Amino acid sequence: MKLSIIIPVYYNQDNLRPLYDDIKKKIIDVIDYEYELVLVNDGSKDKSYEVMQELAQKDDNIRILSLSRNFGSHSAILCGLAHCTGDCAVIKAADLQEPTEMILDMVKSWKKGNNVVLAVREGRDEKKSQTFFSNLYYWMVRKTSFPAMPKMGFDVYLLDRKVIDVLNALDEKNSALTGQILWSGFKTSQVYYTRLERKIGKSRWTLKKKIRLVTDTLFSFSTLPIKIVSTLGFLAFSGSLVWAAFLVVAKIMKLIPVTGWTTLIVFNLFSFGVIMLSIGILGEYLWRTFDATRNRPPYIIEDSNIKGREEK
């Protein structure tokens, strides 16, 4: 068998050497089967790609790819999946916050017949605010999209070759890869670990990217936004009928004074807000449809060391 370890790289120049040493000590020097490391540079502007090239010179089993710009971790992982040649592949972050040795447990679970093995967090040595918002996101995913989403989520996972082929064939844009994995429904198991505090470098997981992940998850896998629009529309319509009936009765009974401008303006503003919210949500769906019809690739490879190698 052959194991592929796919690592998306974004501003990780200081992490890569310690990461490789850790993988070599805990995985490469321990296993008795073939392996490859697939490092994907996701448009880093530091010296990450230079370090990747340096590591590739030391180990012939390292395959490196460099994207033309930052396409996001979803696209970088898809790139790695499209170019890996293993019978199974583990997606691992480059920040050294997950214990590398758990990959061995994931492979053991895969050998038992599980097509997907999720590395689930059972604790986090991080700031409470970061943990709170992360858990809030996964709670939302469980309630709106995937009841099977682990309580504290997952970022590291192992995929069988058949799952890799399915994900490569999906060709979805503006989506969440973890959601696609859960949606696929393959036989799944879990291993558990405690996420460590980051000691080298700083996270590039910005608020903008977090918000993008939330919207991609909601609009790709949940009907909640449409239900919100429908509910607000129903409430606004019902309220307008009640208000219209009240005005008719009041008019007949000659109870309508000249005053009432404030009430009318408030009601109009509420209706206008509902309309604009509805248009915005529908616009999100239209944008995703338009983006899909353009058929642009999810990533563009600028450079790699795979040329001339024998592909599986």
Side-chain angles (χ1 to χ4, degrees), residues 15-28:
N15 292 83
L16 291 175
R17 293 186 186 90
L19 175 65
Y20 175 74
D21 292 339
D22 190 50
I23 293 176
K24 187 175 188 309
K25 177 182 178 181
K26 297 176 180 178
I27 304 295
I28 297 175

Side-chain angles (χ1 to χ4, degrees), residues 135-151:
N135 291 341
L136 180 63
Y137 164 73
Y138 290 115
W139 174 85
M140 180 203 70
V141 172
R142 288 197 306 277
K143 295 298 182 181
T144 62
S145 307
F146 299 106
M149 172 64 76
K151 185 177 180 180

Side-chain angles (χ1 to χ4, degrees), residues 241-279:
L241 289 179
V242 173
W243 184 245
F246 170 78
L247 291 178
V248 170
V249 172
K251 181 68 176 178
I252 293 174
M253 298 180 66
K254 298 181 180 181
L255 298 176
I256 299 180
V258 177
T259 59
W261 180 86
T262 302
T263 304
L264 182 62
I265 289 299
V266 170
F267 184 76
N268 285 339
L269 289 175
F270 172 76
S271 300
F272 181 73
V274 171
I275 292 171
M276 294 303 295
L277 176 63
S278 303
I279 292 174

Side-chain angles (χ1 to χ4, degrees), residues 8 10 16-17 49 79 81 92 125 134 150 157 166 173 177 188 200 207 222 225 234 242 253 258 276 281-282 286 301:
Y10 187 58
L16 291 175
R17 293 186 186 90
Y49 191 54
C79 179
L81 291 173
K92 176 175 171 52
D125 294 337
S134 177
Y157 43 90
V166 167
K173 300 178 181 178
L177 194 56
T188 302
I200 303 176
L207 178 61
S222 174
F234 174 77
V242 173
M253 298 180 66
V258 177
M276 294 303 295
I281 291 177
L282 293 175
L286 289 175
I301 299 175

Side-chain angles (χ1 to χ4, degrees), residues 8 16 66-68 83 101 113 133 140 158 167 217 231-232 242 251 255 257 260 273:
L16 291 175
S66 183
L67 306 186
S68 59
H83 291 85
E101 57 271 19
F133 286 110
M140 180 203 70
L158 178 148
L167 293 179
T217 302
T231 302
L232 287 175
V242 173
K251 181 68 176 178
L255 298 176

Side-chain angles (χ1 to χ4, degrees), residues 87-90 106-118 157-167 181 184-190:
D87 299 298
C88 64
V90 172
M106 298 171 76
V107 172
K108 288 179 182 178
S109 182
W110 170 72
K111 287 182 176 180
K112 293 178 181 178
N114 295 299
N115 295 311
V116 176
V117 183
L118 308 179
Y157 43 90
L158 178 148
L159 305 176
D160 181 79
R161 171 51 59 180
K162 65 178 70 174
V163 184
I164 295 172
D165 293 340
V166 167
L167 293 179
I181 293 169
S184 65
F186 285 99
K187 186 176 179 181
T188 302
S189 68
Q190 300 179 354

